[in-house]
Amino acid sequence: MNLVLFGPPASGKGTQAKRLVAERGMVQLSTGDMLRAAIAAGSPMGKQVEPILAAGHLVPDAIVIGLIEEQMPRAEAAGGAIFDGFPRNVAQAEALDSMLAARGGGIDVVVRLKVNDAELLERVTQRFKEQGRPDDNPETFKARLEQYNAQTAPLLPYYAGQGKLVEVDGMGSIDAVAKAIDAALETMPA
Ligand code: AMP
């Protein structure tokens, strides 16, 4: 099964993806994690994207599409993947559809975690205190939220049009959201 976890920054995508990995043996493909690893490793690509992440902007499509493409064999071997933070615009979604179609697959379901801005701000403030992720500072977070609203939210009609969008209330506790996601996945054909 190929699943997209969709939602604004700090909506719980990473947390829920990790749980699904632990419980179902699925593979998590987080472009944000891959980019942060490249920055930490000091690779040329990491150096190129570091200021972009620091500003809360989107890195070029070719980079993230390339990162996902590299992981396709691993995802295929695991029987599918959880896409976390990818795609973030329509061009990326189209690229993902063609990568999967070339392997005889496709996205099965897109789970949208709905969380309001006040709650996002509260969560990210807490995460900033606990983890110190530079792009979680309030100014950069505002920029990330703007990118989400301008570039990523327009993907919702794209997936709704394909009949793949399932909305989940992301405001509750981690366990409550997990239950809601599991219930949504049960409605999917196996
Ligand atoms: P995330 O951990 O998913 O919140 O991503 C952190 C940052 O990495 C984002 O603010 C972007 O700068 C960059 N990033 C992650 N995924 C993508 C993507 N699919 N497209 C463009 N930029 C991305």
Side-chain angles (χ1 to χ4, degrees):
M1 178 173 65
N2 287 305
L3 158 72
V4 175
L5 273 182
F6 194 96
S11 57
K13 301 187 298 293
T15 302
Q16 295 297 336
K18 286 186 174 65
R19 178 190 64 89
L20 289 166
V21 167
E23 289 176 8
R24 298 177 183 232
M26 296 172 81
V27 167
Q28 175 194 12
L29 297 183
S30 158
T31 40
D33 284 353
M34 295 176 207
L35 293 166
R36 281 185 289 276
I39 293 171
S43 71
M45 187 272 277
K47 290 200 172 81
Q48 182 191 343
V49 301
E50 190 166 16
I52 304 176
L53 268 78
H57 296 154
L58 295 189
V59 311
D61 291 340
I63 293 181
V64 284
I65 291 168
L67 287 171
I68 292 290
E69 184 134 48
E70 276 170 23
Q71 297 295 323
M72 276 289 149
R74 189 164 75 94
E76 202 174 8
I82 305 164
F83 296 91
D84 159 13
F86 182 94
R88 258 176 158 96
N89 59 29
V90 173
Q92 293 179 18
E94 288 172 350
L96 180 58
D97 281 348
S98 6
M99 280 188 262
L100 292 171
R103 289 167 174 80
I107 293 297
D108 297 289
V109 59
V110 177
V111 175
R112 175 194 185 186
L113 299 178
K114 287 182 82 175
V115 181
N116 69 33
D117 286 3
E119 172 75 11
L120 292 175
L121 204 58
E122 210 165 289
R123 289 186 190 178
V124 86
T125 307
Q126 190 60 28
R127 189 166 76 180
F128 189 46
K129 276 192 209 138
E130 287 169 7
Q131 300 174 17
R133 214 177 109 175
D135 61 347
D136 278 345
N137 77 71
E139 267 316 294
T140 312
F141 186 72
K142 216 177 127 225
R144 291 166 63 201
L145 209 47
E146 280 166 12
Q147 296 281 348
Y148 172 80
N149 287 322
Q151 309 222 38
T152 309
L155 267 178
L156 290 167
Y158 177 88
Y159 284 123
Q162 295 184 352
K164 293 176 179 165
L165 187 64
V166 177
E167 306 218 328
V168 163
D169 178 5
M171 294 285 290
S173 66
I174 291 175
D175 281 353
V177 176
K179 283 206 179 77
I181 292 176
D182 287 346
L185 296 184
E186 295 221 331
T187 65
M188 289 292 121

